[in-house]
Amino acid sequence: MGKLYYGDDDLGIDMDDRLLAHVKMAIIAKLRRDEKFTFSWQHGVEGGGGRSTIWIHPSIPIRFKFDGSRQPVLNRAWIEALLLSANSTGGLQLIPEPAPDEAPAHP
């Protein structure tokens, strides 16, 4: 289980290393273009339920911490689907991994 640390938050956002690797690629792609956007996720029952949203901005520090030492093979279709959600009015959402050859649906 990896963590995404944003701003001065010492707690971080828990997520599976594979998911975190794909979210990292989507976030970095947006920040390289100096784009700002929201990132939302659900806490799940183990996190007490509910959901959170943060504003991702290039001036706010971000750190990705992975538990595993190996970089997973990335699924381009998943990264593209995450980027499509980040470009929508709802912002970046955690979505299930599509099959590697599945093209993301355009809104």
Side-chain angles (χ1 to χ4, degrees):
M1 185 69 64
K3 284 189 183 274
L4 184 153
Y5 295 94
Y6 190 65
D8 60 0
D9 183 8
D10 291 338
L11 299 176
I13 304 161
D14 291 324
M15 63 183 82
D16 175 76
D17 274 5
R18 180 161 178 75
L19 172 59
L20 183 58
H22 287 79
V23 167
K24 173 188 163 191
M25 296 304 293
I27 289 175
I28 297 303
K30 298 281 288 174
L31 291 177
R32 278 188 180 150
R33 295 185 291 240
D34 199 32
E35 296 176 4
K36 302 106 181 133
F37 57 100
T38 60
F39 172 42
S40 300
W41 67 96
Q42 294 186 0
H43 297 275
V45 176
E46 66 281 354
R51 57 191 163 84
S52 291
T53 299
I54 56 176
W55 178 246
I56 303 287
H57 189 279
S59 68
I60 301 172
I62 190 165
R63 181 169 58 102
F64 304 89
K65 181 186 177 291
F66 298 89
D67 274 347
S69 60
R70 294 186 183 185
Q71 169 74 21
V73 174
L74 296 175
N75 178 342
R76 180 173 282 293
W78 199 5
I79 296 168
E80 290 175 8
L82 289 166
L83 283 169
L84 276 174
S85 76
N87 290 333
S88 73
T89 56
L92 178 60
Q93 305 281 326
L94 298 181
I95 56 174
E97 181 173 9
D101 56 354
E102 243 180 74
H106 292 278

